[in-house]
Amino acid sequence: MGNAYCIFCGCIEQASVGVVEKWGRFDRLAEPGLHFFNPLAGERLSGILSTRICSLDVKIETKTKDNVFVQMLCSIQYRVIRENADDAFYELQNPREQIQAYVFDVVRAHVPKLNLDELFEQKDEVAKAVLEELEKVMGAYGYNIEHILMVDIIPDSSVRTAMNEINAAQRMQLASVYKGEAEKILQVKKAEAEAEAKYLGGVGVARQRQAITDGLRENILNFSHNVEGTSAKEVMDLIMITQYFDTIKELGNSSKNTTVFLPHGPGHVRDIGQQIRNGMMEAASAQHVNTE
């Protein structure tokens, strides 16, 4: 049930305060509840004010220091001071217009001192300046300013588009740097992997050749001890001929359609054996020189 009153009595609801006049002059404030008035004595309930918090949204258009036009949405929460409700009732006819005028005045005095980026960073400082000014002025009229919020700052559409493009370009530049660094690391790691693979491949080939050499040496020694009258050279020639024919056999059994032309004949086997022995002797001689 809302406020109800007549010439003789009135009921004032919670969070409200009544203004009672006597013979046209302010007499007292009426608290929530039922009140009786004596019209013969000139008493009457002149009006009722709500003490609830009210909200006022103000949209201000102004210009920053770097000549950017912006729209600022400011939300003001205010209420009537119960003890000073008579001032609020008699002093101001339209408090919303009064508050709006002061907000316009303070915001347009502070924003032109700031660049657009500074305005976004210091919007709380602007709200604080508005709050201080309104508290000082509206307090004398029986109103208390509870909160002031700078809800939104809206630059011109062309400025917003330019800011988004700048931000996108900066992010693309940063992404390119990261992408380049990633590709650099990938190439370095790939080169290191290739170098490691080649090193390990060389170690494997060296070990393979060492194993072949050890096996040949062992075979020659075993053959020389088991078969009397044979020299190491004769055993080596026999092994070379055996390896030669094994190679020819492997080439013939290969399923791939590959044609290989090789000189064939006993003399060629002897030439191959001679070339291998010469190579081994030269390698041994070079190693001996290096050690000296």
Side-chain angles (χ1 to χ4, degrees), residues 19 22 34 46 64 79-80 102 105 153 174 205 213 287:
V19 178
K22 188 174 184 179
L34 180 63
S46 181
T64 61
R79 72 193 310 169
V80 172
Y102 277 104
D105 181 66
I153 300 174
L174 186 60
V205 171
T213 303
Q287 183 177 4

Side-chain angles (χ1 to χ4, degrees), residues 1-6 9-20 28-37 44-52 82:
M1 184 179 69
N3 297 294
Y5 58 93
C6 64
C9 63
C11 182
I12 300 173
E13 67 176 2
Q14 188 67 30
S16 298
V17 61
V19 178
V20 181
R28 67 183 186 275
L29 296 174
E31 297 294 331
L34 180 63
H35 296 266
F36 293 94
F37 309 106
R44 72 183 186 94
L45 183 63
S46 181
I48 297 175
L49 293 175
S50 174
T51 57
R52 294 186 179 94
R82 181 179 294 273

Side-chain angles (χ1 to χ4, degrees), residues 195-208:
E196 184 68 17
K198 290 179 180 179
Y199 170 75
L200 294 177
V203 172
V205 171
R207 290 178 179 176
Q208 180 186 16

Side-chain angles (χ1 to χ4, degrees), residues 53-58 74-79 99 103 127-128 130-132 134-135 143-151:
I53 294 178
C54 301
S55 179
L56 173 63
D57 293 334
V58 181
C74 182
S75 179
I76 300 102
Q77 283 83 43
Y78 65 97
R79 72 193 310 169
I99 292 173
V103 171
K128 183 179 179 181
V130 176
L131 178 62
E132 291 175 353
L134 285 180
E135 282 182 338
Y143 286 91
N144 181 50
I145 308 300
E146 300 290 335
H147 300 286
I148 293 182
L149 302 174
M150 288 297 170
V151 179

Side-chain angles (χ1 to χ4, degrees), residues 273-289:
Q274 184 64 35
Q275 292 175 11
I276 292 175
R277 282 191 296 271
N278 292 338
M280 294 176 65
M281 292 175 64
E282 291 177 359
S285 176
Q287 183 177 4
H288 180 70
V289 172

Side-chain angles (χ1 to χ4, degrees), residues 4-141:
Y5 58 93
C6 64
I7 192 173
F8 296 104
C9 63
C11 182
I12 300 173
E13 67 176 2
Q14 188 67 30
S16 298
V17 61
V19 178
V20 181
E21 293 180 348
K22 188 174 184 179
W23 301 117
R25 297 181 61 183
F26 172 73
D27 182 54
R28 67 183 186 275
L29 296 174
E31 297 294 331
L34 180 63
H35 296 266
F36 293 94
F37 309 106
N38 185 3
L40 299 178
E43 289 184 349
R44 72 183 186 94
L45 183 63
S46 181
I48 297 175
L49 293 175
S50 174
T51 57
R52 294 186 179 94
I53 294 178
C54 301
S55 179
L56 173 63
D57 293 334
V58 181
K59 183 178 286 188
I60 314 110
E61 185 174 7
T62 183
K63 185 178 71 170
T64 61
K65 186 177 180 180
D66 47 355
N67 296 322
V68 177
F69 283 91
V70 296
Q71 286 186 347
M72 301 183 66
L73 182 59
C74 182
S75 179
I76 300 102
Q77 283 83 43
Y78 65 97
R79 72 193 310 169
V80 172
I81 302 174
R82 181 179 294 273
E83 295 77 10
N84 299 332
D86 53 328
D87 293 331
F89 186 79
Y90 290 105
E91 296 294 335
L92 289 180
Q93 182 176 4
N94 193 331
R96 298 174 68 89
E97 289 185 359
Q98 187 78 2
I99 292 173
Q100 182 173 332
Y102 277 104
V103 171
F104 270 91
D105 181 66
V106 176
V107 170
R108 287 178 174 172
H110 281 77
V111 171
K113 301 177 182 178
L114 304 173
N115 294 326
L116 181 60
D117 293 337
E118 295 174 344
L119 177 60
F120 278 99
E121 295 173 357
Q122 302 179 24
K123 66 176 185 177
D124 292 338
E125 298 297 327
V126 177
K128 183 179 179 181
V130 176
L131 178 62
E132 291 175 353
E133 184 67 21
L134 285 180
E135 282 182 338
K136 181 173 60 177
V137 174
M138 299 304 295
Y141 298 124

